[in-house]
Amino acid sequence: MPRPVLWIPAVLYGSVLLGGVYYAVIGPGLGARTAGYTALLGALIALDRREWPRMPPGAVSVLRVVLLCAVAVLDESGLSRVLFVLVPFLAFFAYGSTVAIGLGIGCVTALAGVFTLRVPHWQTRAEYIGDLLMFGLGVVLALAMAAVAVREQQARARLEGTLAQVAELSAARERNRLAREIHDSLGHHLTAIGIQLEKAEAFASLDPPGSAQAVSHARWSANRALEEVRASVRTLGPESEAEPAGLSRALADLVHHLDGGSRRVTLKMTGVERRPLLVLYRAAQEGLTNACRHSGASEIGVSVVYDEHGAHLQVVDNGTGFDAADEGFGLSGLRERVRLAEGTVAIDSSPDGTALTVGVPW
């Protein structure tokens, strides 16, 4: 529910109080009537300065009208009639425009009725016609101010809701980005470490140099994972800020530290690299990780082609393939990465192997 603009009733109450007291000082003088008039205005100010949750709906409005009528009876200056514009003004916030307009019409009609009862032939006297017209104009202005205030509060509430949704979406997007980084970077390196340590354990007695080389490759993967974690913590910014210094060199390091044992990994580069592309580096990590962890492949080929339109990466293995319906978080995250780079992803999997193809424009 919109909240009323509390300073407007306070200004009107204060103005009418000062005007009534001034009229009493220069006219009939201060007395019990002025004291009661002041006390009732104070009660009205207290009524509108706080909420009354325990009172039945509408009771505050009825009490306000009763107090206003009492003030009008004690008012010798006639200034208090302006306070009745607060009836439709405050009702606009509590009950809506229809009720407020009805109350406004009722207040104007009631003032005309009072004139009819107290002032004979008031319809022919300019001062009373002017008073009625000015009161009606005050009601219209009060309703207009209430409508503007309500629309402003509703617009602010919608804006706050939109900002909350934007913040939630931004947080979700950042969580997804960090999840992709953890999966693609740490997931790949942990897979590589596990593979190399298994190789080291298997060849410890049969081929000590090969076992030592596998441990060295595992150590490199661990150091590389630590470097990428530190880089992510330092930047926490756009992915372009964390791109590798050179895709060719980064891919060569990945292939070198995975190659060996029962698995052969090759790399082929064609064309001239224009700039590093993190999305292709992550795509290569995802393809190599899946091929090493799930496919049981003995041959894995990584190829990159640069042309005038962009860069194209392909990771091919001779493993057992997988069902496209079983696509996990890694491939879903890769598709999102490539979509943001305005590229394309194609996956061709069969029992004879899998081919992951990613194209990214310059």
Side-chain angles (χ1 to χ4, degrees), residues 259-281:
D259 191 23
S262 60
R263 183 180 297 105
R264 181 170 177 265
V265 186
T266 60
L267 173 65
K268 181 181 179 181
M269 312 286 292
T270 305
V272 179
E273 179 180 349
R274 295 188 182 181
R275 66 179 179 86
L277 293 169
L278 178 63
V279 64
L280 289 188
Y281 179 73

Side-chain angles (χ1 to χ4, degrees), residues 77-261:
S77 65
L79 296 174
S80 60
R81 70 177 64 135
V82 72
L83 295 179
F84 283 89
V85 303
L86 294 176
V87 175
F89 176 78
L90 296 174
F92 200 109
F93 296 93
Y95 309 111
S97 60
T98 303
V99 174
I101 293 173
L103 289 174
I105 295 174
C107 288
V108 175
T109 304
L111 181 59
V114 171
F115 285 167
T116 301
L117 294 175
R118 298 180 59 181
V119 183
H121 308 293
W122 68 271
Q123 300 89 343
T124 62
R125 301 175 63 175
E127 63 271 24
Y128 287 98
I129 295 175
D131 286 348
L132 185 63
L133 290 176
M134 292 302 296
F135 181 78
L137 180 60
V139 170
V140 172
L141 292 177
L143 291 173
M145 292 179 63
V148 170
V150 168
R151 284 198 297 268
E152 188 272 336
Q153 292 180 25
Q154 291 173 344
R156 183 182 302 174
R158 288 194 298 268
L159 177 60
E160 291 176 353
T162 301
L163 291 176
Q165 291 178 352
V166 170
E168 183 178 351
L169 291 174
S170 298
R173 180 177 180 181
E174 184 63 14
R175 285 195 298 268
N176 289 335
R177 189 184 75 84
L178 291 176
R180 289 198 307 267
E181 287 294 321
I182 292 172
H183 177 275
D184 296 346
S185 177
L186 290 182
H188 168 82
H189 290 301
L190 290 175
T191 297
I193 291 171
I195 291 172
Q196 296 298 338
L197 290 180
E198 289 177 1
K199 175 183 174 183
E201 183 179 14
F203 287 85
S205 58
L206 301 176
D207 184 8
S211 177
Q213 184 184 39
V215 172
S216 176
H217 288 334
R219 185 180 297 112
W220 178 90
S221 294
N223 291 333
R224 181 61 182 170
L226 183 59
E227 290 174 3
E228 293 187 8
V229 168
R230 287 173 175 170
S232 297
V233 171
R234 281 196 304 268
T235 59
L236 286 179
E239 295 182 349
S240 59
E241 296 181 5
E243 288 182 347
L247 179 62
S248 302
R249 187 179 67 185
L251 290 180
D253 285 340
L254 284 180
V255 169
H256 172 69
H257 291 92
L258 281 176
D259 191 23

Side-chain angles (χ1 to χ4, degrees), residues 17 20-25 28-41 74-76:
L17 175 61
V21 172
Y22 177 76
Y23 180 83
V25 170
L30 299 174
R33 192 167 183 173
T34 305
Y37 172 81
T38 303
L40 289 174
L41 284 174
L74 296 177
D75 180 23
E76 297 178 297

